[in-house]
Amino acid sequence: TDILPKEKPRYLMGVGLPENILESIALGIDMFDCVLPSRNGRHGILYTSKGVINMNNAKWKNDFSVIDEESNAITSRVHTKAYLKHLFHVKEFLGPQIATLQNLSFFLWLVNTAREKIIEGTFTAWKEATLKDIMRRLYNFMYAEFSKLEVQFLECNRIERIRVALGITNKT
């Protein structure tokens, strides 16, 4: 980002996983856009304060707790996981809509909190703590078929690709 004028915003397209967004913010990126929150929502994948949820799993069928009690999306504090699982099961389009609202709410929370932490001067510590939590969640959800070492390689490789795309060669 050093070659771009300091007064201009920095935009990175297509970066959508929470850990990539936080790493990109740390590298000086100001704006993002990605289809991940809505695409994953349409397929029953939700990002919540407690981790990633796959509504296609049968275990949610009898879970009558709310989708995410900490969400800013009212739909996630009112509707239950069992109800959302049912909506996906019967292919009712309200299911993907509720899931998308949850995901957008989560990502707005993520970037708004990142901004607050930058202003407070605590972004780096917050990012590291948050990344550990997010990585653990994603490991359990997305990478179950990989060993922990393979997952670490995949994540390091992804962050390195972001650095290369931005033209950043040092890892400070």
Side-chain angles (χ1 to χ4, degrees), residues 77-137:
R77 295 190 317 269
V78 173
H79 298 301
T80 67
K81 294 177 186 92
Y83 176 63
L84 188 57
K85 166 68 178 157
H86 165 73
L87 293 175
F88 274 98
H89 180 73
V90 298
K91 301 192 182 335
E92 169 60 49
F93 198 67
L94 182 59
Q97 290 173 333
I98 291 171
T100 297
L101 286 171
Q102 169 57 35
N103 287 349
L104 291 172
S105 175
F106 174 84
F107 281 89
L108 285 170
W109 166 83
L110 184 73
V111 296
N112 285 335
T113 304
R115 177 178 166 71
E116 290 170 9
K117 299 303 178 182
I118 290 168
I119 292 168
E120 291 172 6
T122 60
F123 174 76
T124 302
W126 173 80
K127 176 186 80 109
E128 294 306 318
T130 301
L131 280 176
K132 284 180 186 174
D133 198 25
I134 290 170
M135 293 304 295
R136 186 183 77 250
R137 294 173 188 166

Side-chain angles (χ1 to χ4, degrees), residues 23-39:
E23 185 63 28
S24 297
I25 290 170
L27 295 171
I29 300 300
D30 301 304
M31 297 183 300
F32 309 88
D33 79 44
C34 184
V35 299
L36 186 122
S38 56
R39 178 182 292 150

